[in-house]
Amino acid sequence: MIQRIPAFLDRCRIALLILNESHWSRSVLDGIARYAGEHCGWDFWLQPRGLKEPPKLPEDWCGDGVIARISNEPLRESIARHGLPTVNVSWHGTHCREFPKVISDPQACGRLAAEFFIGRGFEQVGYIGPPDCYNYRDEVWPEVDRVAEEAGCQAYKFDPDPNSPQPDYDFQRLRLVQWIRSLPKPVGIVAWNTTLAREIMLTCGAEGICVPDEVAILAVESDPLVSNLSPMPISQIEQRMEQVGYEAAQELQRLIAGGEPHEKPILIAPAGVIEKPSTDTEFATDVLVQQAVSFIKRHCDEAITVSDITDHLDISRRSLEERFRKALKRSPAEEIRFARVRVLKDLLRRTTMTHAEISVEASFSCENAMFRFFKRMTGLTPGEFRRNQSIDLPMFPETL
């Protein structure tokens, strides 16, 4: 009698060497799990660990492939000794044939962050990058600096004390205080992650500096838990980390099947900015423009037009357009569209409403009109956007 081999023995064994203590890493793992569930049913080997626990692939581990956050040379060497197809999801290190990358696009994150503040009318943009102990090659700052310079704005970079016995920023509070004091106000600050953004917010609070009107804060990394544990929720870039995990798994499957590594990293563009109170300022050099922006915010879930604004403020359309261009470098119609797409993203991210229900809630004439508008504004369908999001229920929904 022939003994039948259980089907699960034919499944690929994949090692996951990724942090699992943060929202970033868990989102990557969610994307990997989604791909495996849809396509191949992998069996995973995991090494539960935090940021300071050194990862390592055991010498005697046998499997078919690896997805890793390759952040140091010992880990790189331990994986290399196995000679398995491997995908790196970290900004650490360089892309190569042995360890090809699938990552969130760091340069696009830098551009998006700078453009966000410049679009709000800020003429000063600050930046706090990763602590030196993280050993990152920072590709975000050069784009923040470049975009600000091209827009005629000034960018300021925080430099930590190289002689400090503790490289983390929470041990450099005095230097951080001095830097924030020195910045011309108002200023929009881009922080490497949500933890640093929270540290900036606490520093501003201790110094009596108003957030967001004097200092607006945007984090490059999204961590809803840290955001909700801050004095006020923090605006963050949507890096689409679940999509990073999904495409990393897809790329690994292709490599396991004998495919050749790509010459360049696979870059996942950010979806936009998750706006929270830390950037919810009506800053503009023109009081009338401030009033117009405030009106748009109050009615962003309605099908308002530029005429509604001009009627409310008793001003001609031409004058309103000119003052918007001068103060915010965009038109009132653009401001309305940005506000409306934020409403749609919020509903897609935080609720389980159907697309038809969302179109009614956001005052679109029909579901197709909402669909076309969202696709035009974001490059994604509402369904694609929702699939890439984790449900993020805010601690203070009334402030959104």
Side-chain angles (χ1 to χ4, degrees), residues 10-247:
D10 294 331
R11 290 153 63 104
C12 286
R13 297 192 69 214
I14 307 299
L16 300 179
L17 289 156
I18 300 172
L19 293 169
N20 47 35
E21 68 171 4
S22 68
H23 178 76
W24 178 95
S25 56
R26 289 183 179 274
S27 297
V28 174
L29 293 170
D30 280 341
I32 295 170
R34 180 162 65 89
Y35 179 85
E38 292 177 3
H39 295 91
C40 47
W42 290 338
D43 290 327
F44 295 111
W45 179 85
L46 301 105
Q47 183 187 40
R49 66 183 188 88
L51 184 63
K52 297 184 179 180
E53 298 172 76
K56 183 179 180 181
L57 190 59
E59 297 288 344
D60 60 351
W61 184 79
C62 296
D64 301 281
V66 179
I67 301 177
R69 177 182 176 269
I70 304 177
S71 57
N72 58 64
E73 192 58 31
L75 173 58
R76 189 183 189 91
E77 291 174 356
S78 74
I79 297 173
R81 283 193 288 270
H82 288 74
L84 295 172
T86 300
V87 173
N88 183 12
V89 296
S90 176
W91 283 353
H92 278 284
T94 57
H95 175 83
C96 61
R97 287 182 58 83
E98 188 179 21
F99 299 118
K101 284 189 172 189
V102 178
I103 56 174
S104 169
D105 187 339
Q107 295 181 354
C109 288
R111 289 193 297 273
L112 178 63
E115 289 167 356
F116 174 82
F117 280 127
I118 292 166
R120 289 290 184 276
F122 286 89
E123 296 181 355
Q124 282 77 228
V125 180
Y127 177 78
I128 298 186
D132 292 340
C133 60
Y134 286 13
N135 297 318
Y136 278 103
R137 184 180 69 178
D138 188 355
E139 297 186 64
V140 176
W141 160 246
E143 286 299 295
V144 172
D145 188 39
R146 182 187 63 80
V147 171
E149 183 179 1
E150 290 181 355
C153 300
Q154 185 67 48
Y156 304 85
K157 184 175 183 291
F158 175 75
D159 292 317
D161 182 358
N163 299 316
S164 172
Q166 295 288 348
D168 288 334
Y169 286 161
D170 52 340
F171 292 96
Q172 302 206 32
R173 177 65 66 85
L174 179 58
R175 193 178 182 94
L176 187 60
V177 166
Q178 293 171 341
W179 182 72
I180 292 175
R181 283 176 180 167
S182 72
L183 296 175
K185 313 294 188 302
V187 62
I189 296 181
V190 180
W192 176 260
N193 60 24
T194 316
T195 301
L196 291 179
R198 179 177 179 271
E199 190 69 23
I200 297 165
M201 188 175 292
L202 292 172
T203 300
C204 288
E207 291 297 301
I209 298 171
C210 180
V211 176
D213 291 328
E214 292 182 273
V215 174
I217 306 169
L218 171 65
V220 174
E221 172 213 50
S222 173
D223 192 324
L225 177 59
V226 175
S227 170
N228 287 336
L229 291 172
S230 301
M232 70 174 64
I234 297 169
S235 295
Q236 304 160 14
I237 290 179
E238 297 180 79
Q239 283 196 41
R240 301 172 63 206
M241 295 317 302
E242 185 179 338
Q243 190 65 21
V244 169
Y246 189 93
E247 296 203 21

Side-chain angles (χ1 to χ4, degrees), residues 336-364:
I336 292 171
R337 290 195 292 270
F338 292 151
R340 301 207 73 197
V341 81
R342 288 196 293 269
V343 169
L344 292 176
K345 284 184 175 183
D346 189 50
L347 291 171
L348 288 164
R349 186 186 302 111
R350 296 193 305 108
T351 76
T352 57
M353 295 169 65
T354 66
H355 294 166
E357 290 170 336
I358 288 174
S359 66
V360 173
E361 183 73 13
S363 301
F364 283 83

